């Protein structure tokens, strides 16, 4: 039992967690003939909010309930592991630690909450603009990291490969041109 | 009862995502600076296992699931939309330090500040739906 708690408490190396993450694809395909992706749930929010004047949000939500339930499970896993069990995070690379130290960012849990506070500032502007890009971009590209990088690449989809290349070019540009000068 | 499996699948996905640390803001910043192999290892091995299992399912479709094959159709190919949308999404991913899955994990973890980017994700989704027809796809 103690051993089990230890396994749940400590982070898992990428060569264990990565393959297990990939198993989500066959899990959903075999159990329910569904291909998983997270970002489409935001479209369903628009549908639920009755933005029916826009054709894009005008469809029967009933066919997508499974997607919403998947998110419920996802949120519950976070409540369980991060609020009840309070799992530990692994050690970042030396280069990353040096980077965060140089910007006096405390390494605490999964988000530097002392930096991202409910006070108006450039950090809030950055994550607001970032959120806008995530919403717009994931719908424009027709998928996000889960739908394109994990599911799409597993299906050997060329379109998903192009999208993922776009993700990384956009991400590197955002990091070096914007994030670095704001943090 | 047929719905419970989706909650379980979401729980499984979230559980592994958290154990992999892919939900950590620090890991995303580290990844985009190419300061560690960690995230690339996760994505690469996840795709490897996903691709092998799709190959196996393809074989099973020809034999075991002949009458009710598993749907393995890809998303429609749209060069401009995938590239431009991908670039914009990637920009957002780096600025928030989280993609959609981890955003929900942050909410579950009680990081209420993440409600701000989540509201903007919904707004961005609205903008796409609103201006979709005037965008190159």
């Amino acid at each position: 039992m103690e051993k089990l708690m230890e396994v749940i408490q400590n982070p898992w190396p990428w060569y264990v967690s990565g393959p297990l993450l990939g198993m989500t694809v066959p899990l959903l395909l075999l159990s329910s003939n569904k291909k998983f992706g997270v970002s489409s749930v935001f479209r369903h929010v628009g549908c639920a909010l009755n933005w029916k004047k826009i054709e894009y949000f005008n469809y029967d939500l009933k066919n997508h309930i499974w997607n919403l339930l998947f998110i419920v499970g996802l949120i519950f896993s976070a409540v369980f592991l991060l609020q009840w069990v309070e799992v530990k995070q692994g050690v970042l690379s030396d280069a990353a630690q040096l980077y965060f130290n140089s910007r006096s960012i405390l390494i605490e849990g999964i988000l530097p909450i002392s930096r991202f506070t409910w006070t108006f500032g450039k950090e809030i502007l950055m994550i607001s603009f970032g959120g806008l890009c995530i919403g717009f971009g994931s719908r424009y590209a027709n998928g996000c990291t889960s739908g394109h990088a994990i599911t799409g690449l597993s299906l050997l989809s060329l379109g998903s490969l192009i999208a993922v290349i776009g993700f990384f070019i956009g991400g590197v540009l955002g990091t070096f041109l914007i994030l670095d000068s704001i943090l | 009862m047929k719905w419970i499996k989706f909650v379980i699948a979401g729980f499984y996905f979230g559980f592994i995502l958290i154990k992999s640390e892919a939900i950590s803001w620090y890991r995303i910043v580290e990844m985009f600076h190419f300061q560690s192999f960690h995230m690339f290892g996760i994505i690469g091995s996840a795709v490897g296992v996903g691709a092998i299992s799709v190959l196996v399912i393809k074989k099973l479709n020809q034999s075991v699931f002949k009458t009710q094959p598993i749907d393995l159709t890809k998303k429609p190919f749209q060069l401009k939309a995938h590239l431009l949308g991908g670039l914009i999404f990637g920009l957002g991913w780096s600025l928030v330090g989280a993609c959609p899955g981890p955003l929900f994990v942050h909410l579950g973890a009680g990081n209420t500040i993440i409600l701000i980017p989540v509201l903007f994700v919904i707004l961005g989704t609205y903008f796409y739906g609103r201006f979709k027809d005037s965008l190159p796809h």
Side-chain angles (χ1 to χ4, degrees):
Chain A
M1 197 60 199
E2 237 170 69
K3 189 90 185 135
L4 179 71
M5 272 317 283
E6 221 171 89
V7 171
I8 294 181
Q9 278 274 338
N10 292 311
W12 298 350
W14 65 263
Y15 49 83
V16 173
S17 54
L20 287 174
L21 206 59
M23 286 305 288
T24 317
V25 176
L27 190 75
L28 271 168
L29 278 172
L30 292 172
S31 72
S32 27
N33 208 350
K34 300 277 187 227
K35 287 185 286 280
F36 100 108
V38 174
S39 64
S40 48
V41 79
F42 292 109
R43 183 180 177 185
H44 305 328
V45 170
C47 180
L49 289 174
N50 225 355
W51 295 339
K52 296 227 193 287
K53 271 186 199 152
I54 301 171
E55 198 199 323
Y56 188 68
F57 298 106
N58 190 0
Y59 52 87
D60 194 356
L61 199 59
K62 256 188 252 136
N63 302 327
H64 304 280
I65 301 279
W66 75 271
N67 217 312
L68 299 167
L69 291 171
F70 186 85
I71 303 298
V72 170
L74 174 59
I75 294 175
F76 186 65
S77 75
V79 175
F80 175 69
L81 281 183
L82 294 164
Q83 296 214 46
W84 295 354
V85 181
E86 295 185 46
V87 296
K88 298 185 187 97
Q89 293 301 307
V91 182
L92 300 166
S93 67
D94 291 346
Q97 290 187 42
L98 219 63
Y99 174 84
F100 294 122
N101 287 339
S102 73
R103 283 161 162 82
S104 355
I105 293 167
L106 271 181
I107 298 169
E108 42 180 351
I110 61 170
L111 187 77
I113 42 169
S114 46
R115 224 12 137 68
F116 294 109
T117 56
W118 285 92
T119 39
F120 188 74
K122 47 190 197 309
E123 283 92 352
I124 293 294
L125 279 174
M126 177 174 74
I127 60 174
S128 304
F129 177 67
L132 203 64
C133 291
I134 290 177
F136 186 87
S138 62
R139 293 288 36 83
Y140 194 4
N142 195 13
C144 65
T145 335
S146 51
H148 274 314
I150 301 182
T151 309
L153 290 186
S154 294
L155 290 166
L156 306 180
S157 150
L158 178 65
S160 292
L161 180 64
I162 292 170
V164 173
I165 291 171
F167 294 171
F168 277 92
I169 297 175
V172 168
L173 289 177
T175 299
F176 285 91
L177 299 180
I178 304 176
L179 186 98
D180 281 353
S181 52
I182 284 185
L183 288 180
Chain B
M1 264 321 272
K2 67 169 185 171
W3 294 115
I4 191 82
K5 63 184 176 188
F6 296 115
V7 181
I8 295 171
F11 187 88
Y12 171 83
F13 176 64
F15 193 98
I16 305 295
L17 206 58
I18 293 166
K19 296 316 296 173
S20 76
E21 297 177 70
I23 42 82
S24 164
W25 176 88
Y26 303 94
R27 285 291 186 194
I28 304 305
V29 176
E30 181 188 58
M31 168 184 77
F32 281 130
H33 280 115
F34 302 102
Q35 289 165 333
S36 168
F37 179 71
H38 186 83
M39 286 298 303
F40 299 100
I42 292 172
I43 299 172
S45 57
V47 171
V49 166
I52 293 168
S53 47
V54 166
L55 273 177
V56 172
I57 292 172
K58 226 176 240 172
K59 287 269 174 240
L60 291 175
N61 268 350
Q62 291 162 0
S63 49
V64 190
F65 308 139
K66 247 182 193 156
T67 44
Q68 271 182 309
I70 303 281
D71 176 22
L72 294 174
T73 44
K74 300 165 188 172
K75 295 183 182 202
F77 182 80
Q78 298 169 305
L79 179 66
K80 288 177 198 152
H82 285 143
L83 190 61
L84 296 173
L87 283 169
I88 298 169
F89 173 81
L91 179 66
W93 183 12
S94 67
L95 297 185
V96 179
C99 50
L103 282 178
F104 289 111
V105 169
H106 279 295
L107 292 185
N111 291 330
T112 50
I113 193 76
I114 294 297
L115 280 170
I116 292 179
V118 166
L119 287 176
F120 277 93
V121 174
I122 296 170
L123 189 67
T125 305
Y126 170 83
F127 281 145
Y128 174 74
R130 177 80 180 71
F131 299 110
K132 171 177 180 288
D133 294 333
S134 30
L135 297 166
H137 281 83

